Amino acid sequence: MSRETSVPADQLTPGQVRRAGRWAVGNRDGELFAVSRRCRHQLADLAEGRVDADGCLVCPWHQSRYDVTTGVMVEGPHGFLGHHGRTPRYARFVRGYAKVLRLRVARAVRAGADVVVRPGRTDR
Ligand code: FES
């Protein structure tokens, strides 16, 4: 089994996100997910993000939030470049183009001691 598209299952406790090749694989309160790794804002690595209380994947740089079932950005960034803070108009603009450029979504399934990414129909 390729290590590039799998993660040891014991590294994916609820709320955690890990890298598996080009995928960010996470555990949303027991439900596994896999989405493409690059944030649609400024390409931060979403495998370094976290899962919030609503089950959304949060970008580590400016906290854009993603629905991991659809790949849609549900909340835009809180800042840009080195600025961190509320930027409502800019956040709406980013959300607008992110509707077109959704994250790719794949299935993440438990296979023995690993969680494996299985790109398929939903991998756009
Ligand atoms: S790079 Fe992800 S929110 Fe800015």
Side-chain angles (χ1 to χ4, degrees), residues 2-7 12 16-26 33-40 44-49 57 68-71 102-109 115-124:
S2 168
R3 298 302 299 172
E4 287 192 10
T5 55
S6 66
V7 177
L12 278 176
Q16 291 189 308
V17 184
R18 294 285 183 260
R19 177 184 309 170
R22 61 188 179 126
W23 301 98
V25 180
F33 66 86
V35 295
S36 50
R37 279 180 35 209
R38 294 296 162 194
C39 179
R40 296 315 193 214
D45 187 350
L46 294 171
E48 296 176 9
L57 175 59
V68 295
T69 65
T70 62
R102 294 182 195 182
L103 300 178
R104 294 185 312 276
V105 177
R107 289 191 317 133
V109 295
V115 172
V116 177
V117 178
R118 297 220 168 111
R121 252 182 339 120
T122 59
D123 174 23
R124 290 172 282 190

Side-chain angles (χ1 to χ4, degrees), residues 49-101:
R50 62 182 173 82
V51 179
D52 70 10
D54 295 328
C56 290
L57 175 59
V58 181
C59 177
W61 285 3
H62 309 104
Q63 292 72 51
S64 285
R65 299 169 62 240
Y66 291 92
D67 179 331
V68 295
T69 65
T70 62
V72 170
M73 182 187 284
V74 295
E75 185 177 342
H78 294 220
F80 52 90
L81 300 175
H83 171 72
H84 295 271
R86 293 197 54 78
T87 52
R89 290 168 70 176
Y90 178 69
R92 274 195 301 278
F93 166 72
V94 173
R95 261 187 73 198
Y97 75 69
K99 282 181 185 168
V100 179
L101 299 171

